[in-house]
PDB file of all heavy atoms in Angstrom:
ATOM      1  N   VAL J  80      21.062   3.128 -76.082  1.00 94.00           N
ATOM      2  CA  VAL J  80      21.564   4.359 -76.709  1.00 94.00           C
ATOM      3  C   VAL J  80      20.547   5.484 -76.533  1.00 94.00           C
ATOM      4  O   VAL J  80      20.921   6.629 -76.238  1.00 94.00           O
ATOM      5  CB  VAL J  80      21.876   4.116 -78.203  1.00 94.00           C
ATOM      6  CG1 VAL J  80      22.160   5.419 -78.922  1.00 94.00           C
ATOM      7  CG2 VAL J  80      23.037   3.155 -78.363  1.00 94.00           C
ATOM      8  N   ILE J  81      19.286   5.180 -76.691  1.00 94.00           N
ATOM      9  CA  ILE J  81      18.234   6.190 -76.531  1.00 94.00           C
ATOM     10  C   ILE J  81      18.197   6.689 -75.086  1.00 94.00           C
ATOM     11  O   ILE J  81      18.107   7.895 -74.837  1.00 94.00           O
ATOM     12  CB  ILE J  81      16.866   5.618 -76.960  1.00 94.00           C
ATOM     13  CG1 ILE J  81      16.860   5.344 -78.458  1.00 94.00           C
ATOM     14  CG2 ILE J  81      15.739   6.573 -76.585  1.00 94.00           C
ATOM     15  CD1 ILE J  81      15.629   4.621 -78.949  1.00 94.00           C
ATOM     16  N   GLN J  82      18.306   5.788 -74.128  1.00 95.00           N
ATOM     17  CA  GLN J  82      18.274   6.172 -72.722  1.00 95.00           C
ATOM     18  C   GLN J  82      19.484   7.043 -72.348  1.00 95.00           C
ATOM     19  O   GLN J  82      19.339   8.058 -71.665  1.00 95.00           O
ATOM     20  CB  GLN J  82      18.244   4.936 -71.829  1.00 95.00           C
ATOM     21  CG  GLN J  82      16.953   4.151 -71.927  1.00 95.00           C
ATOM     22  CD  GLN J  82      15.779   4.930 -71.388  1.00 95.00           C
ATOM     23  OE1 GLN J  82      15.093   5.626 -72.116  1.00 95.00           O
ATOM     24  NE2 GLN J  82      15.573   4.818 -70.095  1.00 95.00           N
ATOM     25  N   ILE J  83      20.672   6.638 -72.793  1.00 96.00           N
ATOM     26  CA  ILE J  83      21.881   7.403 -72.477  1.00 96.00           C
ATOM     27  C   ILE J  83      21.845   8.765 -73.169  1.00 96.00           C
ATOM     28  O   ILE J  83      22.201   9.791 -72.566  1.00 96.00           O
ATOM     29  CB  ILE J  83      23.143   6.598 -72.856  1.00 96.00           C
ATOM     30  CG1 ILE J  83      23.285   5.388 -71.931  1.00 96.00           C
ATOM     31  CG2 ILE J  83      24.390   7.472 -72.803  1.00 96.00           C
ATOM     32  CD1 ILE J  83      24.401   4.449 -72.306  1.00 96.00           C
ATOM     33  N   SER J  84      21.408   8.802 -74.417  1.00 94.00           N
ATOM     34  CA  SER J  84      21.314  10.079 -75.138  1.00 94.00           C
ATOM     35  C   SER J  84      20.323  11.020 -74.465  1.00 94.00           C
ATOM     36  O   SER J  84      20.572  12.224 -74.348  1.00 94.00           O
ATOM     37  CB  SER J  84      20.905   9.843 -76.585  1.00 94.00           C
ATOM     38  OG  SER J  84      21.844   9.060 -77.255  1.00 94.00           O
ATOM     39  N   THR J  85      19.217  10.485 -74.027  1.00 94.00           N
ATOM     40  CA  THR J  85      18.225  11.300 -73.326  1.00 94.00           C
ATOM     41  C   THR J  85      18.786  11.831 -72.017  1.00 94.00           C
ATOM     42  O   THR J  85      18.582  13.006 -71.669  1.00 94.00           O
ATOM     43  CB  THR J  85      16.960  10.477 -73.060  1.00 94.00           C
ATOM     44  OG1 THR J  85      16.465   9.965 -74.302  1.00 94.00           O
ATOM     45  CG2 THR J  85      15.892  11.304 -72.402  1.00 94.00           C
ATOM     46  N   ALA J  86      19.511  10.994 -71.303  1.00 96.00           N
ATOM     47  CA  ALA J  86      20.109  11.430 -70.037  1.00 96.00           C
ATOM     48  C   ALA J  86      21.151  12.516 -70.261  1.00 96.00           C
ATOM     49  O   ALA J  86      21.201  13.512 -69.523  1.00 96.00           O
ATOM     50  CB  ALA J  86      20.733  10.239 -69.314  1.00 96.00           C
ATOM     51  N   VAL J  87      21.987  12.367 -71.275  1.00 96.00           N
ATOM     52  CA  VAL J  87      23.016  13.370 -71.562  1.00 96.00           C
ATOM     53  C   VAL J  87      22.373  14.688 -71.975  1.00 96.00           C
ATOM     54  O   VAL J  87      22.774  15.763 -71.521  1.00 96.00           O
ATOM     55  CB  VAL J  87      23.990  12.855 -72.646  1.00 96.00           C
ATOM     56  CG1 VAL J  87      24.876  13.973 -73.160  1.00 96.00           C
ATOM     57  CG2 VAL J  87      24.829  11.720 -72.092  1.00 96.00           C
ATOM     58  N   ARG J  88      21.353  14.630 -72.817  1.00 95.00           N
ATOM     59  CA  ARG J  88      20.651  15.853 -73.227  1.00 95.00           C
ATOM     60  C   ARG J  88      20.013  16.544 -72.028  1.00 95.00           C
ATOM     61  O   ARG J  88      20.080  17.766 -71.904  1.00 95.00           O
ATOM     62  CB  ARG J  88      19.584  15.525 -74.274  1.00 95.00           C
ATOM     63  CG  ARG J  88      20.156  15.171 -75.618  1.00 95.00           C
ATOM     64  CD  ARG J  88      19.065  14.842 -76.596  1.00 95.00           C
ATOM     65  NE  ARG J  88      19.626  14.585 -77.920  1.00 95.00           N
ATOM     66  CZ  ARG J  88      18.955  14.738 -79.041  1.00 95.00           C
ATOM     67  NH1 ARG J  88      17.690  15.112 -79.013  1.00 95.00           N
ATOM     68  NH2 ARG J  88      19.531  14.508 -80.192  1.00 95.00           N
ATOM     69  N   THR J  89      19.421  15.765 -71.153  1.00 96.00           N
ATOM     70  CA  THR J  89      18.799  16.344 -69.964  1.00 96.00           C
ATOM     71  C   THR J  89      19.845  16.985 -69.066  1.00 96.00           C
ATOM     72  O   THR J  89      19.628  18.078 -68.523  1.00 96.00           O
ATOM     73  CB  THR J  89      18.034  15.261 -69.194  1.00 96.00           C
ATOM     74  OG1 THR J  89      17.068  14.667 -70.068  1.00 96.00           O
ATOM     75  CG2 THR J  89      17.331  15.832 -67.985  1.00 96.00           C
ATOM     76  N   LEU J  90      20.980  16.335 -68.894  1.00 97.00           N
ATOM     77  CA  LEU J  90      22.049  16.891 -68.070  1.00 97.00           C
ATOM     78  C   LEU J  90      22.605  18.182 -68.656  1.00 97.00           C
ATOM     79  O   LEU J  90      22.863  19.143 -67.926  1.00 97.00           O
ATOM     80  CB  LEU J  90      23.177  15.880 -67.895  1.00 97.00           C
ATOM     81  CG  LEU J  90      22.901  14.735 -66.938  1.00 97.00           C
ATOM     82  CD1 LEU J  90      24.032  13.715 -66.998  1.00 97.00           C
ATOM     83  CD2 LEU J  90      22.762  15.258 -65.531  1.00 97.00           C
ATOM     84  N   VAL J  91      22.788  18.234 -69.957  1.00 96.00           N
ATOM     85  CA  VAL J  91      23.330  19.440 -70.599  1.00 96.00           C
ATOM     86  C   VAL J  91      22.371  20.612 -70.420  1.00 96.00           C
ATOM     87  O   VAL J  91      22.764  21.707 -69.999  1.00 96.00           O
ATOM     88  CB  VAL J  91      23.639  19.177 -72.088  1.00 96.00           C
ATOM     89  CG1 VAL J  91      23.935  20.472 -72.820  1.00 96.00           C
ATOM     90  CG2 VAL J  91      24.797  18.210 -72.232  1.00 96.00           C
ATOM     91  N   VAL J  92      21.106  20.405 -70.732  1.00 96.00           N
ATOM     92  CA  VAL J  92      20.120  21.474 -70.579  1.00 96.00           C
ATOM     93  C   VAL J  92      19.965  21.844 -69.101  1.00 96.00           C
ATOM     94  O   VAL J  92      19.852  23.028 -68.751  1.00 96.00           O
ATOM     95  CB  VAL J  92      18.764  21.069 -71.211  1.00 96.00           C
ATOM     96  CG1 VAL J  92      17.699  22.092 -70.921  1.00 96.00           C
ATOM     97  CG2 VAL J  92      18.920  20.894 -72.712  1.00 96.00           C
ATOM     98  N   GLY J  93      20.010  20.870 -68.208  1.00 96.00           N
ATOM     99  CA  GLY J  93      19.895  21.135 -66.783  1.00 96.00           C
ATOM    100  C   GLY J  93      21.053  21.949 -66.235  1.00 96.00           C
ATOM    101  O   GLY J  93      20.860  22.845 -65.409  1.00 96.00           O
ATOM    102  N   LEU J  94      22.266  21.665 -66.686  1.00 96.00           N
ATOM    103  CA  LEU J  94      23.424  22.430 -66.228  1.00 96.00           C
ATOM    104  C   LEU J  94      23.351  23.883 -66.681  1.00 96.00           C
ATOM    105  O   LEU J  94      23.644  24.802 -65.913  1.00 96.00           O
ATOM    106  CB  LEU J  94      24.720  21.784 -66.726  1.00 96.00           C
ATOM    107  CG  LEU J  94      25.149  20.532 -65.985  1.00 96.00           C
ATOM    108  CD1 LEU J  94      26.371  19.916 -66.655  1.00 96.00           C
ATOM    109  CD2 LEU J  94      25.462  20.858 -64.546  1.00 96.00           C
ATOM    110  N   PHE J  95      22.961  24.107 -67.928  1.00 96.00           N
ATOM    111  CA  PHE J  95      22.835  25.486 -68.399  1.00 96.00           C
ATOM    112  C   PHE J  95      21.686  26.208 -67.705  1.00 96.00           C
ATOM    113  O   PHE J  95      21.779  27.400 -67.416  1.00 96.00           O
ATOM    114  CB  PHE J  95      22.672  25.527 -69.920  1.00 96.00           C
ATOM    115  CG  PHE J  95      23.981  25.420 -70.649  1.00 96.00           C
ATOM    116  CD1 PHE J  95      24.421  24.214 -71.129  1.00 96.00           C
ATOM    117  CD2 PHE J  95      24.770  26.544 -70.833  1.00 96.00           C
ATOM    118  CE1 PHE J  95      25.630  24.112 -71.790  1.00 96.00           C
ATOM    119  CE2 PHE J  95      25.976  26.455 -71.487  1.00 96.00           C
ATOM    120  CZ  PHE J  95      26.417  25.232 -71.978  1.00 96.00           C
ATOM    121  N   THR J  96      20.616  25.492 -67.408  1.00 96.00           N
ATOM    122  CA  THR J  96      19.508  26.096 -66.664  1.00 96.00           C
ATOM    123  C   THR J  96      19.946  26.446 -65.246  1.00 96.00           C
ATOM    124  O   THR J  96      19.595  27.515 -64.723  1.00 96.00           O
ATOM    125  CB  THR J  96      18.307  25.140 -66.631  1.00 96.00           C
ATOM    126  OG1 THR J  96      17.941  24.814 -67.975  1.00 96.00           O
ATOM    127  CG2 THR J  96      17.127  25.759 -65.925  1.00 96.00           C
ATOM    128  N   MET J  97      20.719  25.565 -64.629  1.00 97.00           N
ATOM    129  CA  MET J  97      21.222  25.830 -63.285  1.00 97.00           C
ATOM    130  C   MET J  97      22.139  27.058 -63.286  1.00 97.00           C
ATOM    131  O   MET J  97      22.078  27.894 -62.374  1.00 97.00           O
ATOM    132  CB  MET J  97      21.980  24.619 -62.741  1.00 97.00           C
ATOM    133  CG  MET J  97      22.405  24.770 -61.307  1.00 97.00           C
ATOM    134  SD  MET J  97      23.146  23.276 -60.619  1.00 97.00           S
ATOM    135  CE  MET J  97      24.550  23.032 -61.669  1.00 97.00           C
ATOM    136  N   GLY J  98      22.975  27.197 -64.302  1.00 96.00           N
ATOM    137  CA  GLY J  98      23.819  28.385 -64.415  1.00 96.00           C
ATOM    138  C   GLY J  98      22.995  29.646 -64.587  1.00 96.00           C
ATOM    139  O   GLY J  98      23.310  30.691 -64.010  1.00 96.00           O
ATOM    140  N   THR J  99      21.926  29.550 -65.370  1.00 97.00           N
ATOM    141  CA  THR J  99      21.042  30.700 -65.562  1.00 97.00           C
ATOM    142  C   THR J  99      20.418  31.126 -64.247  1.00 97.00           C
ATOM    143  O   THR J  99      20.417  32.313 -63.897  1.00 97.00           O
ATOM    144  CB  THR J  99      19.927  30.349 -66.577  1.00 97.00           C
ATOM    145  OG1 THR J  99      20.520  29.947 -67.809  1.00 97.00           O
ATOM    146  CG2 THR J  99      19.012  31.522 -66.810  1.00 97.00           C
ATOM    147  N   VAL J 100      19.890  30.180 -63.510  1.00 97.00           N
ATOM    148  CA  VAL J 100      19.235  30.491 -62.236  1.00 97.00           C
ATOM    149  C   VAL J 100      20.249  31.025 -61.224  1.00 97.00           C
ATOM    150  O   VAL J 100      19.982  32.007 -60.518  1.00 97.00           O
ATOM    151  CB  VAL J 100      18.505  29.244 -61.686  1.00 97.00           C
ATOM    152  CG1 VAL J 100      18.019  29.459 -60.277  1.00 97.00           C
ATOM    153  CG2 VAL J 100      17.352  28.877 -62.597  1.00 97.00           C
ATOM    154  N   LEU J 101      21.421  30.414 -61.158  1.00 97.00           N
ATOM    155  CA  LEU J 101      22.444  30.839 -60.211  1.00 97.00           C
ATOM    156  C   LEU J 101      22.854  32.286 -60.455  1.00 97.00           C
ATOM    157  O   LEU J 101      22.854  33.110 -59.537  1.00 97.00           O
ATOM    158  CB  LEU J 101      23.663  29.922 -60.306  1.00 97.00           C
ATOM    159  CG  LEU J 101      24.869  30.332 -59.469  1.00 97.00           C
ATOM    160  CD1 LEU J 101      24.586  30.064 -58.003  1.00 97.00           C
ATOM    161  CD2 LEU J 101      26.087  29.597 -59.927  1.00 97.00           C
ATOM    162  N   PHE J 102      23.205  32.614 -61.687  1.00 97.00           N
ATOM    163  CA  PHE J 102      23.654  33.966 -61.975  1.00 97.00           C
ATOM    164  C   PHE J 102      22.513  34.971 -61.902  1.00 97.00           C
ATOM    165  O   PHE J 102      22.742  36.141 -61.577  1.00 97.00           O
ATOM    166  CB  PHE J 102      24.360  34.024 -63.331  1.00 97.00           C
ATOM    167  CG  PHE J 102      25.766  33.502 -63.274  1.00 97.00           C
ATOM    168  CD1 PHE J 102      26.080  32.246 -63.742  1.00 97.00           C
ATOM    169  CD2 PHE J 102      26.775  34.274 -62.724  1.00 97.00           C
ATOM    170  CE1 PHE J 102      27.365  31.766 -63.678  1.00 97.00           C
ATOM    171  CE2 PHE J 102      28.068  33.803 -62.649  1.00 97.00           C
ATOM    172  CZ  PHE J 102      28.368  32.541 -63.127  1.00 97.00           C
ATOM    173  N   SER J 103      21.284  34.545 -62.154  1.00 97.00           N
ATOM    174  CA  SER J 103      20.139  35.448 -61.984  1.00 97.00           C
ATOM    175  C   SER J 103      19.962  35.795 -60.510  1.00 97.00           C
ATOM    176  O   SER J 103      19.756  36.967 -60.168  1.00 97.00           O
ATOM    177  CB  SER J 103      18.857  34.807 -62.511  1.00 97.00           C
ATOM    178  OG  SER J 103      18.960  34.553 -63.879  1.00 97.00           O
ATOM    179  N   PHE J 104      20.038  34.797 -59.639  1.00 97.00           N
ATOM    180  CA  PHE J 104      19.921  35.053 -58.200  1.00 97.00           C
ATOM    181  C   PHE J 104      21.071  35.930 -57.703  1.00 97.00           C
ATOM    182  O   PHE J 104      20.869  36.821 -56.874  1.00 97.00           O
ATOM    183  CB  PHE J 104      19.872  33.758 -57.409  1.00 97.00           C
ATOM    184  CG  PHE J 104      18.530  33.095 -57.395  1.00 97.00           C
ATOM    185  CD1 PHE J 104      18.435  31.724 -57.294  1.00 97.00           C
ATOM    186  CD2 PHE J 104      17.365  33.828 -57.473  1.00 97.00           C
ATOM    187  CE1 PHE J 104      17.197  31.094 -57.273  1.00 97.00           C
ATOM    188  CE2 PHE J 104      16.125  33.223 -57.448  1.00 97.00           C
ATOM    189  CZ  PHE J 104      16.042  31.851 -57.356  1.00 97.00           C
TER     190      PHE J 104
END
Side-chain angles (χ1 to χ4, degrees):
V80 170
I81 293 173
Q82 292 294 92
I83 292 174
S84 299
T85 304
V87 168
R88 288 179 176 205
T89 303
L90 285 173
V91 169
V92 173
L94 284 175
F95 278 97
T96 303
M97 186 174 61
T99 302
V100 170
L101 174 73
F102 282 103
S103 298
F104 280 150

